[in-house]
Short mmCIF file of all heavy atoms in Angstrom, two decimals:
data_model
loop_
_atom_site.label_atom_id
_atom_site.label_comp_id
_atom_site.label_asym_id
_atom_site.label_seq_id
_atom_site.Cartn_x
_atom_site.Cartn_y
_atom_site.Cartn_z
N ALA A 284 55.92 43.81 -53.80
CA ALA A 284 55.24 44.24 -54.88
C ALA A 284 56.23 44.48 -56.05
O ALA A 284 57.51 44.45 -55.84
CB ALA A 284 54.44 45.54 -54.62
N PRO A 285 55.76 44.55 -57.41
CA PRO A 285 56.72 44.86 -58.46
C PRO A 285 57.45 46.08 -58.17
O PRO A 285 56.94 47.00 -57.44
CB PRO A 285 55.68 44.93 -59.59
CG PRO A 285 54.50 44.05 -59.24
CD PRO A 285 54.35 44.41 -57.73
N GLU A 286 58.66 46.21 -58.76
CA GLU A 286 59.51 47.26 -58.52
C GLU A 286 58.91 48.61 -58.91
O GLU A 286 59.10 49.66 -58.10
CB GLU A 286 60.68 47.02 -59.40
CG GLU A 286 62.04 47.74 -58.91
CD GLU A 286 63.19 47.18 -59.61
OE1 GLU A 286 63.46 47.51 -60.78
OE2 GLU A 286 63.87 46.33 -59.04
N ALA A 287 58.09 48.68 -59.86
CA ALA A 287 57.51 50.01 -60.30
C ALA A 287 56.50 50.43 -59.25
O ALA A 287 56.34 51.58 -59.03
CB ALA A 287 56.67 49.72 -61.65
N VAL A 288 55.84 49.46 -58.55
CA VAL A 288 54.99 49.91 -57.41
C VAL A 288 55.79 50.46 -56.16
O VAL A 288 55.48 51.45 -55.57
CB VAL A 288 54.07 48.86 -56.98
CG1 VAL A 288 53.16 49.22 -55.73
CG2 VAL A 288 53.22 48.43 -58.11
N LEU A 289 56.94 49.67 -55.89
CA LEU A 289 57.79 50.02 -54.83
C LEU A 289 58.28 51.39 -54.93
O LEU A 289 58.32 52.36 -53.97
CB LEU A 289 58.94 49.06 -54.62
CG LEU A 289 58.54 47.70 -54.04
CD1 LEU A 289 59.80 46.80 -54.08
CD2 LEU A 289 58.06 47.80 -52.60
N VAL A 290 58.86 51.83 -56.14
CA VAL A 290 59.57 53.11 -56.26
C VAL A 290 58.61 54.16 -56.64
O VAL A 290 58.94 55.35 -56.78
CB VAL A 290 60.57 52.99 -57.34
CG1 VAL A 290 61.66 52.00 -57.02
CG2 VAL A 290 60.02 52.53 -58.77
N GLY A 291 57.28 53.86 -56.89
CA GLY A 291 56.21 54.75 -57.18
C GLY A 291 56.11 55.34 -58.56
O GLY A 291 55.53 56.24 -58.84
N THR A 292 56.76 54.65 -59.55
CA THR A 292 56.67 54.93 -60.90
C THR A 292 55.35 54.52 -61.54
O THR A 292 54.91 55.05 -62.64
CB THR A 292 57.81 54.52 -61.86
OG1 THR A 292 57.81 53.05 -61.67
CG2 THR A 292 58.99 55.03 -61.26
N GLN A 293 54.69 53.63 -60.92
CA GLN A 293 53.31 53.17 -61.34
C GLN A 293 52.42 53.10 -60.21
O GLN A 293 52.78 52.53 -59.16
CB GLN A 293 53.44 51.76 -62.12
CG GLN A 293 52.11 51.44 -62.84
CD GLN A 293 52.34 50.36 -63.84
OE1 GLN A 293 53.51 50.12 -64.21
NE2 GLN A 293 51.31 49.70 -64.25
N ARG A 294 51.29 53.76 -60.16
CA ARG A 294 50.31 53.76 -59.12
C ARG A 294 49.52 52.55 -59.12
O ARG A 294 48.93 52.21 -60.06
CB ARG A 294 49.53 55.04 -59.21
CG ARG A 294 50.25 56.34 -58.97
CD ARG A 294 49.33 57.59 -59.08
NE ARG A 294 49.97 58.79 -58.77
CZ ARG A 294 49.47 59.93 -58.71
NH1 ARG A 294 48.20 60.05 -58.85
NH2 ARG A 294 50.17 61.06 -58.41
N PHE A 295 49.46 51.97 -57.91
CA PHE A 295 48.66 50.84 -57.58
C PHE A 295 48.44 50.73 -55.98
O PHE A 295 49.46 50.67 -55.36
CB PHE A 295 49.22 49.52 -58.11
CG PHE A 295 48.39 48.34 -57.72
CD1 PHE A 295 47.25 48.09 -58.48
CD2 PHE A 295 48.80 47.51 -56.69
CE1 PHE A 295 46.44 46.98 -58.06
CE2 PHE A 295 47.89 46.48 -56.35
CZ PHE A 295 46.92 46.12 -57.01
N ARG A 296 47.16 50.73 -55.54
CA ARG A 296 46.99 50.58 -54.07
C ARG A 296 47.06 49.24 -53.66
O ARG A 296 46.20 48.33 -54.19
CB ARG A 296 45.76 51.32 -53.74
CG ARG A 296 45.52 51.32 -52.32
CD ARG A 296 44.51 52.28 -51.76
NE ARG A 296 44.36 52.42 -50.32
CZ ARG A 296 45.30 53.08 -49.60
NH1 ARG A 296 46.24 53.72 -50.10
NH2 ARG A 296 45.14 52.97 -48.20
N LEU A 297 47.77 48.89 -52.73
CA LEU A 297 47.85 47.43 -52.11
C LEU A 297 46.61 47.30 -51.28
O LEU A 297 46.16 48.11 -50.48
CB LEU A 297 49.05 47.16 -51.37
CG LEU A 297 50.44 47.30 -51.95
CD1 LEU A 297 51.47 47.01 -50.89
CD2 LEU A 297 50.53 46.47 -53.14
N ALA A 342 63.67 50.34 -46.79
CA ALA A 342 63.27 51.79 -47.03
C ALA A 342 62.23 51.85 -48.15
O ALA A 342 61.34 52.67 -47.99
CB ALA A 342 64.56 52.52 -47.46
N LEU A 343 62.43 51.08 -49.20
CA LEU A 343 61.52 51.11 -50.33
C LEU A 343 60.07 50.66 -49.86
O LEU A 343 59.07 51.31 -50.19
CB LEU A 343 61.99 50.23 -51.49
CG LEU A 343 63.05 50.81 -52.41
CD1 LEU A 343 63.45 49.81 -53.43
CD2 LEU A 343 62.49 52.09 -53.18
N ALA A 344 60.10 49.57 -49.15
CA ALA A 344 58.72 49.01 -48.67
C ALA A 344 58.15 49.96 -47.67
O ALA A 344 56.83 50.23 -47.71
CB ALA A 344 58.98 47.67 -48.01
N ARG A 345 58.91 50.58 -46.86
CA ARG A 345 58.44 51.48 -45.89
C ARG A 345 57.79 52.74 -46.52
O ARG A 345 56.69 53.16 -46.24
CB ARG A 345 59.36 51.95 -44.84
CG ARG A 345 58.90 52.96 -43.82
CD ARG A 345 59.91 53.45 -42.96
NE ARG A 345 59.41 54.55 -42.08
CZ ARG A 345 59.36 55.84 -42.45
NH1 ARG A 345 59.71 56.11 -43.67
NH2 ARG A 345 58.76 56.76 -41.69
N MET A 346 58.53 53.25 -47.55
CA MET A 346 57.98 54.45 -48.18
C MET A 346 56.75 54.13 -48.95
O MET A 346 55.84 55.07 -49.03
CB MET A 346 59.07 55.09 -49.19
CG MET A 346 60.23 55.68 -48.47
SD MET A 346 61.43 56.48 -49.56
CE MET A 346 62.24 55.12 -50.32
N LEU A 347 56.66 52.85 -49.59
CA LEU A 347 55.29 52.54 -50.20
C LEU A 347 54.19 52.51 -49.19
O LEU A 347 53.10 53.16 -49.44
CB LEU A 347 55.57 51.10 -50.87
CG LEU A 347 54.29 50.40 -51.32
CD1 LEU A 347 53.66 51.24 -52.51
CD2 LEU A 347 54.51 49.02 -51.68
N ALA A 348 54.50 51.91 -48.02
CA ALA A 348 53.51 51.89 -47.02
C ALA A 348 53.05 53.30 -46.57
O ALA A 348 51.78 53.63 -46.36
CB ALA A 348 53.92 51.03 -45.85
N GLN A 349 54.04 54.12 -46.44
CA GLN A 349 53.75 55.45 -45.99
C GLN A 349 52.93 56.24 -46.95
O GLN A 349 51.90 56.90 -46.57
CB GLN A 349 55.09 56.16 -45.76
CG GLN A 349 55.00 57.62 -44.96
CD GLN A 349 56.33 58.15 -44.70
OE1 GLN A 349 57.21 58.31 -45.65
NE2 GLN A 349 56.54 58.43 -43.51
N ARG A 350 53.19 56.10 -48.23
CA ARG A 350 52.51 56.73 -49.35
C ARG A 350 51.04 56.23 -49.31
O ARG A 350 50.08 57.09 -49.65
CB ARG A 350 53.08 56.39 -50.73
CG ARG A 350 54.37 57.12 -51.01
CD ARG A 350 54.66 57.09 -52.50
NE ARG A 350 54.67 55.82 -53.09
CZ ARG A 350 55.73 55.00 -53.20
NH1 ARG A 350 56.94 55.35 -52.68
NH2 ARG A 350 55.57 53.74 -53.78
N GLN A 351 50.79 55.01 -48.98
CA GLN A 351 49.35 54.53 -49.07
C GLN A 351 48.70 54.40 -47.70
O GLN A 351 47.61 53.81 -47.71
CB GLN A 351 49.49 52.96 -49.69
CG GLN A 351 50.07 53.14 -51.08
CD GLN A 351 49.86 51.84 -51.87
OE1 GLN A 351 49.21 50.99 -51.42
NE2 GLN A 351 50.42 51.78 -53.11
N GLY A 352 49.26 54.95 -46.68
CA GLY A 352 48.77 54.86 -45.35
C GLY A 352 48.66 53.36 -44.74
O GLY A 352 47.60 53.26 -44.04
N ILE A 353 49.51 52.65 -45.02
CA ILE A 353 49.55 51.24 -44.50
C ILE A 353 50.50 51.26 -43.40
O ILE A 353 51.64 51.70 -43.48
CB ILE A 353 49.88 50.20 -45.65
CG1 ILE A 353 48.96 50.25 -46.83
CG2 ILE A 353 50.07 48.86 -45.13
CD1 ILE A 353 49.43 49.59 -48.03
N GLY A 354 50.16 50.42 -42.35
CA GLY A 354 51.08 50.36 -41.22
C GLY A 354 52.28 49.39 -41.57
O GLY A 354 52.03 48.41 -42.29
N PHE A 355 53.39 49.82 -41.21
CA PHE A 355 54.67 49.14 -41.64
C PHE A 355 55.38 48.69 -40.27
O PHE A 355 55.62 49.46 -39.43
CB PHE A 355 55.63 50.05 -42.37
CG PHE A 355 56.91 49.34 -42.79
CD1 PHE A 355 56.91 48.35 -43.85
CD2 PHE A 355 58.17 49.56 -42.16
CE1 PHE A 355 58.03 47.74 -44.24
CE2 PHE A 355 59.34 48.91 -42.52
CZ PHE A 355 59.28 48.04 -43.55
N ARG A 412 59.00 60.32 -36.37
CA ARG A 412 57.57 60.23 -36.25
C ARG A 412 57.21 58.66 -36.00
O ARG A 412 56.02 58.44 -35.64
CB ARG A 412 56.87 60.66 -37.55
CG ARG A 412 57.04 62.06 -37.83
CD ARG A 412 56.37 62.47 -39.11
NE ARG A 412 56.86 61.75 -40.20
CZ ARG A 412 56.36 61.71 -41.45
NH1 ARG A 412 55.23 62.36 -41.61
NH2 ARG A 412 56.99 61.06 -42.40
#
Side-chain angles (χ1 to χ4, degrees):
E286 205 163 82
V288 176
L289 284 176
V290 300
T292 57
Q293 192 163 341
R294 291 185 178 181
F295 175 79
R296 182 164 185 81
L297 300 184
L343 283 177
R345 177 186 173 277
M346 287 188 290
L347 170 64
Q349 190 175 55
R350 288 196 305 269
Q351 299 194 2
I353 300 168
F355 180 72
R412 294 182 299 171

